[in-house]
């Protein structure tokens, strides 16, 4: 926050972090209770894109067994998925904290999830206002609704934070606080990495080295995919998180001067050593159109001992080194990131490393890494289809059978396929 351009922004950021930490502590201690007087037992998180992936990464990476509240996600508008989540909550709905995340407050997906959750919660005897939390920009449509209805809590998002980089805002800190993780350590790790990536010396700047490696591997035009292989279960979601961060930031048709360049780096991955039995075969012997990013943490859990002289951690490390050696022998490229241990501080540092690398790579290939015109185009196209759907329903309202061509002719708009 001390790097903010003015004191008011710095104060606002500090106040939000304090408020998030205090809220999480009060909920976990039972000082903030559900409207029925009982402690909150669960969290239903409603968010799309980065507002869903960031929190999911926080939960999978940092939550320990038996600590904090269990999380359930509405991260899509799939009615079958919603039904499954709500059925899983069942009798716990009256003690479920429902957190809706929408930066603009007007995105359709979180709104649809919110109204479905509200109806089911109230049918189960809950009280929406006493269980609902909003994370949105101040004075947005959602913020105004939460204020009018007297929701339990509101946290601010900032207009200068994009969804794919919002994990160090309320979007990621909220889940961190509610699982009992140390969000100060998480932020400290990100800040520590930020300091390291401001050093104007390539060989001492980890994000600059990573961006340069991406540039060289893909010849400055994304000719190689990024395969992310973290050798820890806690980072299984990390490749999905990086898909949005990297591909939404770097996948651009135009450069800053408006020239057509079609930039981008495709990202995929899962975790080691699972992938020894999946796509590593192609990485070793198939088409050479990728580079691998190996991620390892050296310290193992103390409660998993050696049995008959065999340590699972030794095998995990052996698989990583063996896979890397096999790929190197085959002329395949890789980057390795090693951590002494994995914790909240290291997760913050790891996220900041890739965020800064994305920004620097955008500079190298002369594109804007911080807008998403393709996403906006998709939203507009979806809105046009929904409008067409309502017009089709009007034509069919008389109950008369019509062919697709007849429906299209009656409307006089849209393709036969649509």
């Amino acid at each position: 926050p001390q790097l903010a351009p003015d004191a008011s922004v710095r104060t606002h950021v500090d106040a939000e972090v304090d408020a998030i930490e205090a809220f999480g502590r009060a909920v976990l201690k039972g000082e903030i209770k559900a409207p029925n007087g009982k402690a909150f037992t669960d969290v239903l998180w409603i968010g799309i894109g980065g507002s869903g992936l960031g929190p999911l990464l926080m939960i999978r990476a940092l939550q320990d067994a038996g600590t904090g509240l269990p999380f359930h996600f509405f991260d899509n508008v799939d009615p079958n998925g919603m039904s499954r989540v709500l059925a899983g909550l069942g009798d716990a709905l009256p003690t479920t904290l429902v957190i809706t995340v929408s930066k603009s407050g007007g995105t359709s997906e979180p709104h649809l999830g919110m109204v479905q959750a509200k109806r089911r919660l109230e049918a189960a005897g809950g009280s929406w206002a006493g269980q609902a939390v909003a994370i949105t920009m101040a004075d947005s449509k959602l913020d105004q609704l939460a204020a009018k209805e007297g929701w339990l809590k509101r946290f601010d998002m900032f207009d200068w934070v994009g969804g794919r980089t919002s994990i160090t805002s309320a979007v990621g800190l909220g889940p961190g606080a509610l699982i009992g993780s140390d969000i100060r350590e998480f932020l400290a790790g990100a800040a520590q990495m930020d300091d390291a990536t401001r050093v104007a010396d390539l060989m001492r700047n980890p994000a600059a080295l990573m961006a340069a490696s991406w540039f060289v591997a893909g010849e400055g035009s994304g000719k190689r995919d990024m395969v992310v292989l973290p050798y820890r279960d806690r980072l299984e979601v990390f490749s999905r998180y990086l898909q949005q961060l990297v591909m939404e930031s770097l996948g651009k048709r135009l450069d800053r001067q408006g020239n057509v360049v079609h930039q981008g780096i495709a990202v995929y991955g899962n975790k080691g050593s699972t992938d020894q039995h999946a796509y590593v075969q192609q990485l070793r012997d198939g088409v050479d159109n990728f580079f691998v990013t190996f991620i390892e943490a050296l310290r193992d859990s103390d409660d998993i001992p050696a049995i008959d002289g065999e340590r699972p951690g030794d095998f995990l490390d052996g698989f990583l080194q063996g896979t890397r050696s096999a790929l190197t022998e085959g002329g395949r490229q890789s980057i390795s990131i090693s951590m002494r241990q994995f914790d909240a501080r290291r997760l913050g540092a790891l996220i900041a490393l890739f965020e800064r690398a994305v920004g620097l790579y955008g500079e190298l290939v002369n594109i804007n890494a911080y807008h998403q015109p393709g996403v906006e185009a998709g939203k507009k196209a979806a809105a046009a289809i929904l409008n067409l759907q309502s017009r089709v329903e009007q034509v069919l309202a008389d109950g008369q059978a019509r062919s697709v061509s007849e429906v299209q002719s009656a409307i006089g708009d849209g393709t036969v396929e649509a």
Side-chain angles (χ1 to χ4, degrees):
Q2 67 270 22
L3 297 178
D6 60 67
S8 63
V9 174
R10 180 170 65 249
T11 301
H12 194 173
V13 171
D14 285 333
E16 286 300 308
V17 175
D18 290 342
I20 293 164
E21 187 176 49
F23 179 74
R25 187 185 301 117
V27 169
L28 295 183
K29 287 184 176 180
E31 296 169 356
I32 295 178
K33 299 181 185 297
N36 62 8
K38 298 180 180 180
F40 282 107
T41 59
D42 297 81
V43 177
L44 174 57
W45 188 274
I46 303 172
I48 195 76
S51 297
L53 278 171
L56 182 63
L57 175 60
M58 292 292 287
I59 302 304
R60 296 285 183 84
L62 299 180
Q63 188 165 26
D64 293 321
T67 63
L69 298 181
F71 270 66
H72 314 263
F73 287 87
F74 275 5
D75 58 1
N76 198 1
V77 288
D78 175 7
N80 295 337
M82 290 180 179
S83 175
R84 184 178 183 183
V85 170
L86 292 172
L89 282 165
D91 294 339
L93 275 169
T95 54
T96 296
L97 193 65
V98 183
I99 303 178
T100 302
V101 187
S102 177
K103 179 179 173 180
S104 67
T107 307
S108 58
E109 293 100 326
H111 172 76
L112 289 166
M114 180 186 74
V115 296
Q116 290 292 333
K118 181 179 181 180
R119 173 168 291 191
R120 187 69 67 90
L121 183 147
E122 290 178 341
S127 175
W128 177 256
Q131 298 176 236
V133 175
I135 299 179
T136 185
M137 287 199 304
D139 206 36
S140 72
K141 186 177 180 180
L142 178 61
D143 191 47
Q144 292 175 13
L145 176 67
K148 179 181 177 182
E149 295 183 351
W151 288 18
L152 179 61
K153 195 71 177 176
R154 291 176 290 152
F155 294 109
D156 286 346
M157 290 187 74
F158 305 102
D159 61 359
W160 39 270
V161 178
R164 59 187 177 277
T165 57
S166 64
I167 193 170
T168 45
S169 75
V171 173
L173 300 182
L178 290 167
I179 62 172
S181 183
D182 191 336
I183 62 173
R184 300 284 180 178
E185 278 290 286
F186 175 69
L187 290 173
Q192 188 175 2
M193 181 59 70
D194 183 69
D195 285 341
T197 59
R198 291 173 185 272
V199 175
D201 176 352
L202 177 67
M203 300 308 294
R204 294 173 55 234
N205 185 321
L209 278 172
M210 182 176 279
S213 299
W214 296 351
F215 186 88
V216 171
E219 300 177 24
S221 57
K223 290 184 177 180
R224 291 184 184 273
D225 301 340
M226 182 191 306
V227 182
V228 182
L229 283 180
Y231 274 68
R232 289 291 168 179
D233 287 355
R234 286 182 180 267
L235 286 171
E236 181 179 5
V237 178
F238 193 52
S239 60
R240 284 180 58 197
Y241 178 82
L242 289 181
Q243 274 184 337
Q244 182 183 18
L245 175 64
V246 175
M247 296 177 73
E248 193 169 88
S249 298
L250 303 181
K252 301 295 163 63
R253 186 171 69 92
L254 304 177
D255 67 12
R256 286 186 172 126
Q257 282 71 48
N259 302 306
V260 176
V261 291
H262 294 298
Q263 278 287 353
I265 300 176
V267 179
Y268 64 93
N270 185 20
K271 66 177 181 181
S273 64
T274 299
D275 290 317
Q276 307 296 132
H277 309 281
Y279 49 74
V280 165
Q281 168 63 34
Q282 177 168 317
L283 300 185
R284 175 62 175 81
D285 294 339
V287 60
D288 184 11
N289 64 344
F290 65 90
F291 62 91
V292 177
T293 301
F294 291 101
I295 304 174
E296 65 175 345
L298 302 180
R299 184 173 297 172
D300 296 329
S301 295
D302 296 332
D303 62 339
I304 302 297
I307 298 178
D308 297 330
E310 294 181 340
R311 299 177 184 272
D314 289 350
F315 281 81
L316 187 68
D317 180 66
F319 281 129
L320 185 153
Q321 294 199 45
T323 300
R324 185 170 57 195
S325 295
L327 292 178
T328 301
E329 289 167 5
R332 309 304 164 95
Q333 302 180 34
S334 69
I335 299 170
S336 296
I337 300 172
S338 299
M339 297 174 280
R340 291 186 179 88
Q341 64 189 58
F342 182 75
D343 52 21
R345 178 181 283 263
R346 268 75 175 191
L347 180 63
L350 194 62
I351 288 166
L353 171 63
F354 278 87
E355 285 185 352
R356 305 305 178 273
V358 161
L360 292 170
Y361 185 89
E363 296 296 316
L364 289 176
V365 298
N366 189 34
I367 53 96
N368 181 352
Y370 300 104
H371 70 347
Q372 51 278 342
V375 175
E376 301 306 321
K379 289 180 179 179
K380 290 178 181 178
I385 290 293
L386 290 169
N387 176 265
L388 180 62
Q389 177 182 313
S390 67
R391 294 158 69 191
V392 170
E393 290 172 345
Q394 290 171 13
V395 170
L396 297 175
D398 60 10
Q400 298 299 311
R402 292 176 176 83
S403 70
V404 174
S405 296
E406 288 170 338
V407 173
Q408 193 266 351
S409 178
I411 293 173
D413 189 20
T415 64
V416 170
E417 180 186 353

